[in-house]
Amino acid sequence: MNQDNKDILVSISCITYNHAPYIRECLDGFMMQQTNFPFEVLIHDDASTDGTTEIIREYAEKYPDIIKPLYEEENQWVKGRRGSAVFNFPRAQGKYIALCEGDDYWIDPLKLQKQVDFLESHPDYVMCSSKYQILEENIAKITSSWYDEKCQDVSYSLDTLIHGGWYFHPLTVVFRSSELNLQEYIRYPYGMDAVLFFHLLKKGNGMMLPEEMAVYRIHEGGVWSGINYNAKLKNEFKARLGIYEVEQSYEAAFFLRHQFTKLISRKWIIEEWKLIFQSVCIISKYFGYIPTLYYILLRKMLFNRPLKE
């Protein structure tokens, strides 16, 4: 399939590392897409050592006008250079950007067409997601995601996000590239999903379509699924603190407080009390005196006795 780069409507951003058992399924999910527009696949291979690189080369040779790989000789993740914002977003040519990592995959051949059709007919929306399935590799079980089976189209906003609504798993998302301000986005100290969606939903609403269009794979080697829940909470907490450092807004403070509440409810072990102190000051500025927060902070500072699980 020959296509002119200037006609590309969607840029698919895929980052991968040592995904040899999964990458074919991921790439096949891209190539089965039935669209009335050209798209490109921007794939960043972070110096894989398990054969992932060779599989990508195979597909790139077969679909040279569509698959545009970037191969690393040295792993960039360990150097702190991470994610699509560094390696894929800057080279995206599409009006829209779709997301999917190399160990996940799409199952609906009309996924891109449905989402682009929605965004083209709703210029006030900045992103479109869908329901998805979850594949737990260790028990070979596939289930529907948490959304209610009766749930139809769901419109969401920044307010939905900061109150804990999560209708936009990355592997299902398509968003307008015009709403991604890279110079502004890279100011955030962490490049996690919550940061990207906060940045996008500042510009407008999103829509979740009711079909299950993709599969999220849970396996031990997964960057996110392979770490424990406490570590996830801690990473999310740091990401939200980073958002506030850039935004200095009520919404960012509320987003931080919501995550802090999760940490308190689980009696999280406080190891970085300076970050906790900073967060308490931010939360207090917007929401007043919160005894529980101060109790935890003082317990750590004065007695060095963190609450245990």
Side-chain angles (χ1 to χ4, degrees), residues 202-226:
K202 287 193 306 176
K203 317 290 183 61
N205 291 348
M207 175 64 72
M208 185 190 76
L209 302 182
E211 299 95 337
E212 294 181 342
M213 298 185 181
V215 175
Y216 173 61
R217 192 190 307 268
I218 297 177
H219 61 100
E220 291 183 357
V223 172
W224 187 247
S225 62

PDB file of all heavy atoms in Angstrom, residues 202-226:
ATOM      1  N   LYS A 202      -7.647  19.089  29.771  1.00  0.00           N
ATOM      2  CA  LYS A 202      -7.713  20.526  30.030  1.00  0.00           C
ATOM      3  C   LYS A 202      -8.292  21.249  28.811  1.00  0.00           C
ATOM      4  O   LYS A 202      -8.841  22.341  28.933  1.00  0.00           O
ATOM      5  CB  LYS A 202      -6.315  21.090  30.284  1.00  0.00           C
ATOM      6  CG  LYS A 202      -5.691  20.738  31.596  1.00  0.00           C
ATOM      7  CD  LYS A 202      -4.472  21.622  31.848  1.00  0.00           C
ATOM      8  CE  LYS A 202      -3.477  21.572  30.704  1.00  0.00           C
ATOM      9  NZ  LYS A 202      -2.344  22.496  30.896  1.00  0.00           N
ATOM     10  N   LYS A 203      -8.138  20.623  27.631  1.00  0.00           N
ATOM     11  CA  LYS A 203      -8.518  21.278  26.372  1.00  0.00           C
ATOM     12  C   LYS A 203      -9.947  20.959  25.942  1.00  0.00           C
ATOM     13  O   LYS A 203     -10.490  21.606  25.065  1.00  0.00           O
ATOM     14  CB  LYS A 203      -7.567  20.827  25.261  1.00  0.00           C
ATOM     15  CG  LYS A 203      -6.096  20.758  25.634  1.00  0.00           C
ATOM     16  CD  LYS A 203      -5.488  22.116  25.851  1.00  0.00           C
ATOM     17  CE  LYS A 203      -4.003  22.021  26.150  1.00  0.00           C
ATOM     18  NZ  LYS A 203      -3.200  21.418  25.078  1.00  0.00           N
ATOM     19  N   GLY A 204     -10.553  19.897  26.509  1.00  0.00           N
ATOM     20  CA  GLY A 204     -11.898  19.511  26.094  1.00  0.00           C
ATOM     21  C   GLY A 204     -12.265  18.134  26.615  1.00  0.00           C
ATOM     22  O   GLY A 204     -11.493  17.510  27.349  1.00  0.00           O
ATOM     23  N   ASN A 205     -13.423  17.639  26.220  1.00  0.00           N
ATOM     24  CA  ASN A 205     -13.931  16.371  26.732  1.00  0.00           C
ATOM     25  C   ASN A 205     -13.479  15.181  25.902  1.00  0.00           C
ATOM     26  O   ASN A 205     -12.947  15.317  24.799  1.00  0.00           O
ATOM     27  CB  ASN A 205     -15.461  16.400  26.783  1.00  0.00           C
ATOM     28  CG  ASN A 205     -15.988  17.356  27.834  1.00  0.00           C
ATOM     29  OD1 ASN A 205     -15.228  17.845  28.673  1.00  0.00           O
ATOM     30  ND2 ASN A 205     -17.273  17.634  27.793  1.00  0.00           N
ATOM     31  N   GLY A 206     -13.729  13.994  26.447  1.00  0.00           N
ATOM     32  CA  GLY A 206     -13.476  12.751  25.743  1.00  0.00           C
ATOM     33  C   GLY A 206     -14.733  11.905  25.700  1.00  0.00           C
ATOM     34  O   GLY A 206     -15.692  12.155  26.436  1.00  0.00           O
ATOM     35  N   MET A 207     -14.744  10.908  24.829  1.00  0.00           N
ATOM     36  CA  MET A 207     -15.883   9.990  24.704  1.00  0.00           C
ATOM     37  C   MET A 207     -15.391   8.553  24.732  1.00  0.00           C
ATOM     38  O   MET A 207     -14.440   8.195  24.034  1.00  0.00           O
ATOM     39  CB  MET A 207     -16.624  10.250  23.386  1.00  0.00           C
ATOM     40  CG  MET A 207     -17.747   9.259  23.097  1.00  0.00           C
ATOM     41  SD  MET A 207     -19.104   9.343  24.313  1.00  0.00           S
ATOM     42  CE  MET A 207     -19.866  10.910  23.883  1.00  0.00           C
ATOM     43  N   MET A 208     -16.047   7.720  25.562  1.00  0.00           N
ATOM     44  CA  MET A 208     -15.768   6.288  25.551  1.00  0.00           C
ATOM     45  C   MET A 208     -16.853   5.586  24.748  1.00  0.00           C
ATOM     46  O   MET A 208     -18.039   5.679  25.077  1.00  0.00           O
ATOM     47  CB  MET A 208     -15.726   5.714  26.966  1.00  0.00           C
ATOM     48  CG  MET A 208     -15.322   4.237  26.985  1.00  0.00           C
ATOM     49  SD  MET A 208     -15.518   3.430  28.597  1.00  0.00           S
ATOM     50  CE  MET A 208     -17.294   3.206  28.653  1.00  0.00           C
ATOM     51  N   LEU A 209     -16.459   4.879  23.704  1.00  0.00           N
ATOM     52  CA  LEU A 209     -17.396   4.099  22.910  1.00  0.00           C
ATOM     53  C   LEU A 209     -17.669   2.768  23.596  1.00  0.00           C
ATOM     54  O   LEU A 209     -16.800   2.229  24.302  1.00  0.00           O
ATOM     55  CB  LEU A 209     -16.845   3.888  21.502  1.00  0.00           C
ATOM     56  CG  LEU A 209     -16.523   5.170  20.716  1.00  0.00           C
ATOM     57  CD1 LEU A 209     -16.015   4.827  19.313  1.00  0.00           C
ATOM     58  CD2 LEU A 209     -17.722   6.094  20.641  1.00  0.00           C
ATOM     59  N   PRO A 210     -18.848   2.167  23.408  1.00  0.00           N
ATOM     60  CA  PRO A 210     -19.244   0.990  24.192  1.00  0.00           C
ATOM     61  C   PRO A 210     -18.647  -0.335  23.743  1.00  0.00           C
ATOM     62  O   PRO A 210     -18.727  -1.317  24.472  1.00  0.00           O
ATOM     63  CB  PRO A 210     -20.765   0.979  24.035  1.00  0.00           C
ATOM     64  CG  PRO A 210     -21.014   1.621  22.708  1.00  0.00           C
ATOM     65  CD  PRO A 210     -19.966   2.686  22.589  1.00  0.00           C
ATOM     66  N   GLU A 211     -18.030  -0.389  22.554  1.00  0.00           N
ATOM     67  CA  GLU A 211     -17.483  -1.669  22.081  1.00  0.00           C
ATOM     68  C   GLU A 211     -16.143  -1.989  22.744  1.00  0.00           C
ATOM     69  O   GLU A 211     -15.369  -1.090  23.066  1.00  0.00           O
ATOM     70  CB  GLU A 211     -17.280  -1.638  20.559  1.00  0.00           C
ATOM     71  CG  GLU A 211     -18.543  -1.421  19.772  1.00  0.00           C
ATOM     72  CD  GLU A 211     -18.769   0.025  19.409  1.00  0.00           C
ATOM     73  OE1 GLU A 211     -18.219   0.911  20.096  1.00  0.00           O
ATOM     74  OE2 GLU A 211     -19.507   0.279  18.438  1.00  0.00           O
ATOM     75  N   GLU A 212     -15.882  -3.274  22.932  1.00  0.00           N
ATOM     76  CA  GLU A 212     -14.571  -3.721  23.410  1.00  0.00           C
ATOM     77  C   GLU A 212     -13.661  -3.858  22.197  1.00  0.00           C
ATOM     78  O   GLU A 212     -13.810  -4.770  21.388  1.00  0.00           O
ATOM     79  CB  GLU A 212     -14.698  -5.052  24.154  1.00  0.00           C
ATOM     80  CG  GLU A 212     -15.485  -4.943  25.451  1.00  0.00           C
ATOM     81  CD  GLU A 212     -15.589  -6.263  26.200  1.00  0.00           C
ATOM     82  OE1 GLU A 212     -15.360  -7.325  25.580  1.00  0.00           O
ATOM     83  OE2 GLU A 212     -15.912  -6.240  27.408  1.00  0.00           O
ATOM     84  N   MET A 213     -12.697  -2.970  22.078  1.00  0.00           N
ATOM     85  CA  MET A 213     -11.890  -2.874  20.864  1.00  0.00           C
ATOM     86  C   MET A 213     -10.452  -3.338  21.025  1.00  0.00           C
ATOM     87  O   MET A 213      -9.714  -3.416  20.039  1.00  0.00           O
ATOM     88  CB  MET A 213     -11.887  -1.433  20.360  1.00  0.00           C
ATOM     89  CG  MET A 213     -13.250  -0.891  19.974  1.00  0.00           C
ATOM     90  SD  MET A 213     -13.075   0.766  19.272  1.00  0.00           S
ATOM     91  CE  MET A 213     -14.806   1.168  18.933  1.00  0.00           C
ATOM     92  N   ALA A 214     -10.022  -3.621  22.255  1.00  0.00           N
ATOM     93  CA  ALA A 214      -8.612  -3.933  22.477  1.00  0.00           C
ATOM     94  C   ALA A 214      -8.457  -4.862  23.673  1.00  0.00           C
ATOM     95  O   ALA A 214      -9.403  -5.074  24.436  1.00  0.00           O
ATOM     96  CB  ALA A 214      -7.832  -2.638  22.703  1.00  0.00           C
ATOM     97  N   VAL A 215      -7.243  -5.393  23.830  1.00  0.00           N
ATOM     98  CA  VAL A 215      -6.938  -6.306  24.937  1.00  0.00           C
ATOM     99  C   VAL A 215      -5.695  -5.817  25.672  1.00  0.00           C
ATOM    100  O   VAL A 215      -4.638  -5.602  25.066  1.00  0.00           O
ATOM    101  CB  VAL A 215      -6.706  -7.743  24.441  1.00  0.00           C
ATOM    102  CG1 VAL A 215      -6.281  -8.651  25.597  1.00  0.00           C
ATOM    103  CG2 VAL A 215      -7.967  -8.291  23.778  1.00  0.00           C
ATOM    104  N   TYR A 216      -5.850  -5.643  26.983  1.00  0.00           N
ATOM    105  CA  TYR A 216      -4.747  -5.270  27.860  1.00  0.00           C
ATOM    106  C   TYR A 216      -4.181  -6.540  28.478  1.00  0.00           C
ATOM    107  O   TYR A 216      -4.892  -7.301  29.127  1.00  0.00           O
ATOM    108  CB  TYR A 216      -5.237  -4.324  28.945  1.00  0.00           C
ATOM    109  CG  TYR A 216      -4.217  -4.007  30.017  1.00  0.00           C
ATOM    110  CD1 TYR A 216      -3.021  -3.393  29.695  1.00  0.00           C
ATOM    111  CD2 TYR A 216      -4.473  -4.304  31.354  1.00  0.00           C
ATOM    112  CE1 TYR A 216      -2.086  -3.086  30.668  1.00  0.00           C
ATOM    113  CE2 TYR A 216      -3.553  -3.996  32.343  1.00  0.00           C
ATOM    114  CZ  TYR A 216      -2.359  -3.386  31.994  1.00  0.00           C
ATOM    115  OH  TYR A 216      -1.431  -3.087  32.962  1.00  0.00           O
ATOM    116  N   ARG A 217      -2.894  -6.757  28.267  1.00  0.00           N
ATOM    117  CA  ARG A 217      -2.271  -8.001  28.720  1.00  0.00           C
ATOM    118  C   ARG A 217      -1.549  -7.775  30.054  1.00  0.00           C
ATOM    119  O   ARG A 217      -0.723  -6.873  30.188  1.00  0.00           O
ATOM    120  CB  ARG A 217      -1.265  -8.486  27.671  1.00  0.00           C
ATOM    121  CG  ARG A 217      -0.762  -9.917  27.910  1.00  0.00           C
ATOM    122  CD  ARG A 217       0.410 -10.229  26.983  1.00  0.00           C
ATOM    123  NE  ARG A 217       0.107  -9.972  25.586  1.00  0.00           N
ATOM    124  CZ  ARG A 217      -0.381 -10.880  24.736  1.00  0.00           C
ATOM    125  NH1 ARG A 217      -0.621 -12.104  25.155  1.00  0.00           N
ATOM    126  NH2 ARG A 217      -0.592 -10.553  23.465  1.00  0.00           N
ATOM    127  N   ILE A 218      -1.868  -8.610  31.032  1.00  0.00           N
ATOM    128  CA  ILE A 218      -1.191  -8.576  32.325  1.00  0.00           C
ATOM    129  C   ILE A 218      -0.188  -9.719  32.370  1.00  0.00           C
ATOM    130  O   ILE A 218      -0.559 -10.887  32.254  1.00  0.00           O
ATOM    131  CB  ILE A 218      -2.191  -8.711  33.485  1.00  0.00           C
ATOM    132  CG1 ILE A 218      -3.160  -7.519  33.500  1.00  0.00           C
ATOM    133  CG2 ILE A 218      -1.463  -8.810  34.829  1.00  0.00           C
ATOM    134  CD1 ILE A 218      -4.231  -7.607  34.569  1.00  0.00           C
ATOM    135  N   HIS A 219       1.093  -9.391  32.518  1.00  0.00           N
ATOM    136  CA  HIS A 219       2.128 -10.429  32.594  1.00  0.00           C
ATOM    137  C   HIS A 219       3.277  -9.908  33.446  1.00  0.00           C
ATOM    138  O   HIS A 219       3.414  -8.709  33.688  1.00  0.00           O
ATOM    139  CB  HIS A 219       2.614 -10.814  31.193  1.00  0.00           C
ATOM    140  CG  HIS A 219       3.236  -9.679  30.423  1.00  0.00           C
ATOM    141  ND1 HIS A 219       4.598  -9.502  30.322  1.00  0.00           N
ATOM    142  CD2 HIS A 219       2.667  -8.662  29.725  1.00  0.00           C
ATOM    143  CE1 HIS A 219       4.849  -8.431  29.588  1.00  0.00           C
ATOM    144  NE2 HIS A 219       3.693  -7.899  29.214  1.00  0.00           N
ATOM    145  N   GLU A 220       4.128 -10.797  33.890  1.00  0.00           N
ATOM    146  CA  GLU A 220       5.180 -10.442  34.838  1.00  0.00           C
ATOM    147  C   GLU A 220       6.173  -9.439  34.263  1.00  0.00           C
ATOM    148  O   GLU A 220       6.762  -8.645  34.991  1.00  0.00           O
ATOM    149  CB  GLU A 220       5.929 -11.696  35.309  1.00  0.00           C
ATOM    150  CG  GLU A 220       5.078 -12.611  36.188  1.00  0.00           C
ATOM    151  CD  GLU A 220       5.872 -13.793  36.704  1.00  0.00           C
ATOM    152  OE1 GLU A 220       7.061 -13.921  36.323  1.00  0.00           O
ATOM    153  OE2 GLU A 220       5.306 -14.589  37.484  1.00  0.00           O
ATOM    154  N   GLY A 221       6.366  -9.472  32.958  1.00  0.00           N
ATOM    155  CA  GLY A 221       7.335  -8.567  32.345  1.00  0.00           C
ATOM    156  C   GLY A 221       6.778  -7.211  32.017  1.00  0.00           C
ATOM    157  O   GLY A 221       7.498  -6.342  31.504  1.00  0.00           O
ATOM    158  N   GLY A 222       5.502  -6.969  32.309  1.00  0.00           N
ATOM    159  CA  GLY A 222       4.884  -5.692  31.985  1.00  0.00           C
ATOM    160  C   GLY A 222       5.455  -4.559  32.831  1.00  0.00           C
ATOM    161  O   GLY A 222       5.663  -4.715  34.029  1.00  0.00           O
ATOM    162  N   VAL A 223       5.714  -3.399  32.186  1.00  0.00           N
ATOM    163  CA  VAL A 223       6.285  -2.264  32.903  1.00  0.00           C
ATOM    164  C   VAL A 223       5.374  -1.832  34.038  1.00  0.00           C
ATOM    165  O   VAL A 223       5.819  -1.500  35.133  1.00  0.00           O
ATOM    166  CB  VAL A 223       6.524  -1.086  31.932  1.00  0.00           C
ATOM    167  CG1 VAL A 223       6.924   0.180  32.697  1.00  0.00           C
ATOM    168  CG2 VAL A 223       7.598  -1.450  30.927  1.00  0.00           C
ATOM    169  N   TRP A 224       4.069  -1.851  33.802  1.00  0.00           N
ATOM    170  CA  TRP A 224       3.099  -1.400  34.817  1.00  0.00           C
ATOM    171  C   TRP A 224       2.464  -2.578  35.541  1.00  0.00           C
ATOM    172  O   TRP A 224       2.395  -2.606  36.774  1.00  0.00           O
ATOM    173  CB  TRP A 224       2.029  -0.537  34.160  1.00  0.00           C
ATOM    174  CG  TRP A 224       1.095   0.113  35.143  1.00  0.00           C
ATOM    175  CD1 TRP A 224      -0.230  -0.131  35.305  1.00  0.00           C
ATOM    176  CD2 TRP A 224       1.415   1.144  36.093  1.00  0.00           C
ATOM    177  NE1 TRP A 224      -0.759   0.677  36.295  1.00  0.00           N
ATOM    178  CE2 TRP A 224       0.227   1.464  36.798  1.00  0.00           C
ATOM    179  CE3 TRP A 224       2.592   1.819  36.428  1.00  0.00           C
ATOM    180  CZ2 TRP A 224       0.188   2.431  37.803  1.00  0.00           C
ATOM    181  CZ3 TRP A 224       2.550   2.779  37.436  1.00  0.00           C
ATOM    182  CH2 TRP A 224       1.354   3.074  38.104  1.00  0.00           C
ATOM    183  N   SER A 225       2.000  -3.575  34.787  1.00  0.00           N
ATOM    184  CA  SER A 225       1.302  -4.691  35.423  1.00  0.00           C
ATOM    185  C   SER A 225       2.240  -5.566  36.250  1.00  0.00           C
ATOM    186  O   SER A 225       1.796  -6.324  37.107  1.00  0.00           O
ATOM    187  CB  SER A 225       0.604  -5.549  34.355  1.00  0.00           C
ATOM    188  OG  SER A 225       1.545  -6.115  33.452  1.00  0.00           O
ATOM    189  N   GLY A 226       3.556  -5.440  36.004  1.00  0.00           N
ATOM    190  CA  GLY A 226       4.505  -6.285  36.727  1.00  0.00           C
ATOM    191  C   GLY A 226       4.922  -5.750  38.086  1.00  0.00           C
ATOM    192  O   GLY A 226       5.650  -6.415  38.815  1.00  0.00           O
TER     193      GLY A 226
END
